Amino acid sequence: MIRKFFIAGLILVLGTVISVNAQFQYPNFKWENTEHDFGEIQHLDPVVYEFEFTNKGQAPLVISEVEGSCGCTVAEYTKDPVMPGKKGKVKATFDAAAMGKFRKSIKVVANVEGGPEYLYIKGTVIEQSQAESQGN
């Protein structure tokens, strides 16, 4: 009799754990890459890069906020929910207003476990005359 109660209790506990676990299935980013190097770019000539991802989780992925680390970087992103197995993107535009080397971050907030994800762009902004002479 005690054995039957023990087995019934064990089944009840396992069923509850499985049920609770199923309710907390999260979406998951799988980025093609998280950093892009523009190399040398011309002063005041904006550049654009699209970061692509796949939702490798079990629930729709919803991006709620994308923010550049400064005003020189503007980001656009997939606003619709990204279903499991489907792709989305974050597009970063850098204005190239300041001369010299740069490395900027883009914070991506979504309904994923573990908090925000970070993407990075980098490169060197050079004068137009330097870029033209190096191309010849």
Side-chain angles (χ1 to χ4, degrees), residues 20-86:
V20 168
N21 190 29
Q23 292 175 3
F24 294 108
Q25 293 179 347
Y26 291 96
N28 186 22
F29 282 114
K30 173 65 176 152
W31 296 97
E32 288 188 18
N33 59 2
T34 57
E35 185 166 4
H36 177 73
D37 186 351
F38 286 109
E40 291 184 340
I41 59 176
Q42 294 183 16
H43 184 233
L44 300 176
D45 189 10
V47 290
V48 178
Y49 185 77
E50 286 188 359
F51 292 93
E52 292 188 5
F53 66 87
T54 303
N55 178 2
K56 291 292 189 177
Q58 300 299 314
L61 190 153
V62 179
I63 298 174
S64 57
E65 178 185 359
V66 175
E67 182 179 14
S69 58
C70 70
C72 60
T73 305
V74 177
E76 299 174 37
Y77 58 95
T78 302
K79 301 231 179 353
D80 294 329
V82 178
M83 301 309 286
K86 300 298 181 183

Side-chain angles (χ1 to χ4, degrees), residues 6-20:
F6 177 75
I7 291 173
L10 185 60
I11 290 171
L12 181 63
V13 169
L14 286 175
T16 303
V17 168
I18 290 169
S19 175
V20 168

